[in-house]
Amino acid sequence: MTSVTTQTNPTLFVYLPEHRAANGKLLLLDHQGEEILQAEIALPSNNAILAIALPSSASLELHQTYAWRFTLNCPSKVVEGTIVEDDFTEANLKRVILDSAVDPNLTALEQAQVYADNNAWNDVLTVMASLRKQEPETWQALLDYINLGDLANTEIVFFQLTGG
């Protein structure tokens, strides 16, 4: 499944469960599988939702699908004699232009609604994550809607990547 964004440099969201890793690695690949970003991120010690804003050096082109992968850098584990790979999350993201423009004069909640109406869920999460403390019921309802309601009280840790 591919998520949709309207942003040139979107924010990627990763749920970080309990872990022993000191850092993680984000890898972003273009539509041809070429690496356009690799970044190490120091992780909080507790579980959290990571909100990772991509730098200007990793701008997404319109109508192209990108693959991204976030890996925890932790020692390999041995489970019943078998080595288990590092924990990771991976997804696809496509930048599009919406059929209906998002009026900059709209409130953030209204903008989030326009994104939701256009299935730009990555942008909905970005807007709502910034409003989470002011709009806790709306945040809870959004996460319930996407079957992630149990994460509503999880801390969000924002990262702004620089360079590439």
Side-chain angles (χ1 to χ4, degrees):
M1 181 172 191
T2 300
S3 295
V4 173
T5 184
T6 62
Q7 307 302 309
T8 305
N9 303 98
T11 297
L12 305 177
F13 291 88
V14 176
Y15 173 65
L16 181 66
E18 288 187 36
H19 61 91
R20 294 180 293 149
N23 56 46
K25 180 171 72 173
L26 176 66
L27 180 64
L28 179 67
L29 304 174
D30 69 13
H31 57 280
Q32 296 176 328
E34 297 292 323
E35 180 180 306
I36 59 173
L37 175 71
Q38 186 175 148
E40 290 275 330
I41 297 174
L43 300 176
S45 58
N46 57 323
N47 70 319
I49 297 171
L50 307 180
I52 308 166
L54 295 181
S56 59
S57 61
S59 297
L60 305 187
E61 295 178 28
L62 275 173
H63 310 295
Q64 299 299 321
T65 300
Y66 295 81
W68 63 270
R69 181 179 186 145
F70 186 84
T71 307
L72 293 179
N73 292 336
C74 55
S76 293
K77 299 171 252 176
V78 177
V79 179
E80 296 180 16
T82 304
I83 295 177
V84 178
E85 294 294 319
D86 291 342
D87 296 319
F88 69 90
T89 298
E90 58 187 1
N92 292 324
L93 185 63
K94 183 176 184 176
R95 183 172 162 231
V96 299
I97 294 177
L98 300 183
D99 293 335
S100 54
V102 178
D103 185 340
N105 296 318
L106 295 175
T107 68
L109 280 175
E110 292 168 331
Q111 290 177 11
Q113 184 62 55
V114 172
Y115 290 133
D117 292 345
N118 287 277
N119 294 314
W121 291 103
N122 197 80
D123 297 352
V124 174
L125 281 174
T126 301
V127 171
M128 291 308 301
S130 67
L131 294 176
R132 174 186 133 160
K133 291 186 180 182
Q134 299 95 317
E135 297 286 341
E137 296 85 16
T138 307
W139 175 249
Q140 179 70 56
L142 169 65
L143 292 186
D144 285 342
Y145 180 75
I146 59 175
N147 298 317
L148 295 173
D150 56 333
L151 301 181
N153 293 319
T154 304
E155 176 187 13
I156 300 175
V157 179
F158 294 89
F159 293 93
Q160 175 62 61
L161 297 180
T162 57

